[in-house]
Structures are given as structure tokens and as C-alpha cells.
Amino acid sequence: MPRGNCKGQGWWHGKFRGCGYRLTAGREAILDILSKSEGHLSAEDIYVKIHPKYPSVGLTTVYRTLEVLSNLGMVYKLDFGDGRARYEFAQGPKGAHHHHHLVCTQCNKVIDYTDFIDEEVELLNQTEKGLGQKYKFRITNHLIQFYGVCEQCSGKK
Ligand SMILES: [Zn+2]
Ligand SMILES: [Zn+2]
């Protein structure tokens, strides 16, 4: 595949050895599904969506590929306390769907919120700046997840 042929493809193409490099069908399919779906998908959910289009991609491949993608920081692996890993597309802090999580440890409900409070934005900016200087580390993204008890669950005692 010639270079410069990556128009109309997802930004992640450049992350794998430049635009001329073909993603494996599995990675491509998984990123495609995650980038188009909102919410949090388990490996099984992803497998069910992928299977009709890519019958050659098995559940084991899905698991393995999700591991690789989460190590690359392109996908978040999430633990909501129900014993099942969930995955979502890792939108950078400036991405339209960038959000944080409030996880209820009683009912495992997850609230995705994007209307960050001012203190939160300020704290994150300062923290990223300070950490970056201290560890000479260029921070490009973060995953913020708070655990607690939701309104409904704290109502019933
Ligand atoms: Zn954020
Ligand atoms: Zn989320």
C-alpha cells in the first residue's frame, strides 16, 4: 500500500509504523467498533459485533488484541468492580467524547460525565504540568475514575 493513502481512515493508522502499514484485520476491526460505539464494551460484546464481518477473528484474538491496544494507550481497559473487564476508545482530553467515570460500588452503575467542574479541570492541568516536570514525562492523556455510592444506592439502606 503506497504512502499518503491514508485519507479517510482513522487517526490510529499513523500509530502503527506510518500510514503505509496495514493494520491487522483484528486491530482495525476492534478500533473501528470501539471508536464508533459509546459506552463500555466487554471482549465478548466486541467479539459479537466483529464476528459477522470478520469471521476469522476469534474470541482469543479479540482478548489478545485488546491487551495490545490498551498497552499502546489507544484503548482503556476498565474495571467497574463486576469482575468483567470493559473497554472503551481512549479519547484524548480534547476529544469530543472525553469523559470521566463515577462508578457505584453497590450496583456497578457507571456515570460518564463530560461537564467537568472547574476545580477538576484546574487540578488536572496543574497536576499534569507538575508531574510532567518532575518526571520529564509528556502527559498526553489520563483516565479518571472515582468509586463510590450512587444516589439511588445511598437512598436505600
Ligand atoms: Zn479528563
Ligand atoms: Zn466511559
Side-chain angles (χ1 to χ4, degrees):
M1 197 193 278
R3 287 199 156 256
N5 194 17
C6 40
K7 275 210 202 95
Q9 298 179 338
W11 59 267
W12 57 79
H13 281 260
K15 287 227 170 191
F16 293 98
R17 296 193 228 154
C19 284
Y21 181 71
R22 232 171 67 85
L23 288 170
T24 63
R27 286 185 184 185
E28 171 88 69
I30 288 174
L31 284 172
D32 193 48
I33 281 165
L34 283 171
S35 69
K36 283 179 186 148
S37 36
E38 295 203 3
H40 318 103
L41 303 178
S42 68
E44 288 80 8
D45 296 334
I46 294 166
Y47 170 71
V48 167
K49 284 173 186 270
I50 277 180
H51 197 67
K53 257 176 104 183
Y54 301 85
S56 63
V57 179
L59 185 57
T60 322
T61 309
V62 172
Y63 274 115
R64 218 183 312 123
T65 307
L66 284 167
E67 263 332 285
V68 173
L69 292 173
S70 74
N71 286 338
L72 288 169
M74 298 168 78
V75 161
Y76 288 144
K77 185 178 185 177
L78 307 163
D79 175 13
F80 295 138
D82 62 353
R84 209 182 200 207
R86 301 298 154 90
Y87 298 87
E88 76 180 13
F89 193 60
Q91 278 260 5
K94 299 206 167 71
H97 301 290
H98 179 75
H99 60 269
H100 298 172
H101 296 143
L102 298 172
V103 183
C104 177
T105 54
Q106 311 272 301
C107 66
N108 295 324
K109 178 168 73 192
V110 182
I111 299 170
D112 283 1
Y113 67 95
T114 52
D115 51 338
F116 310 112
I117 58 171
D118 293 345
E119 289 87 340
E120 188 174 16
V121 175
E122 200 182 317
L123 178 68
L124 274 169
N125 284 338
Q126 283 179 7
T127 305
E128 290 188 353
K129 205 171 149 212
L131 279 173
Q133 282 167 354
K134 185 169 180 196
Y135 294 98
K136 312 249 180 299
F137 192 93
R138 195 170 58 86
I139 294 172
T140 54
N141 204 355
H142 56 247
L143 170 59
I144 308 286
Q145 195 154 295
F146 298 98
Y147 293 91
V149 182
C150 74
E151 195 178 5
Q152 279 89 331
C153 289
S154 53
K156 52 177 136 114
K157 259 264 157 123

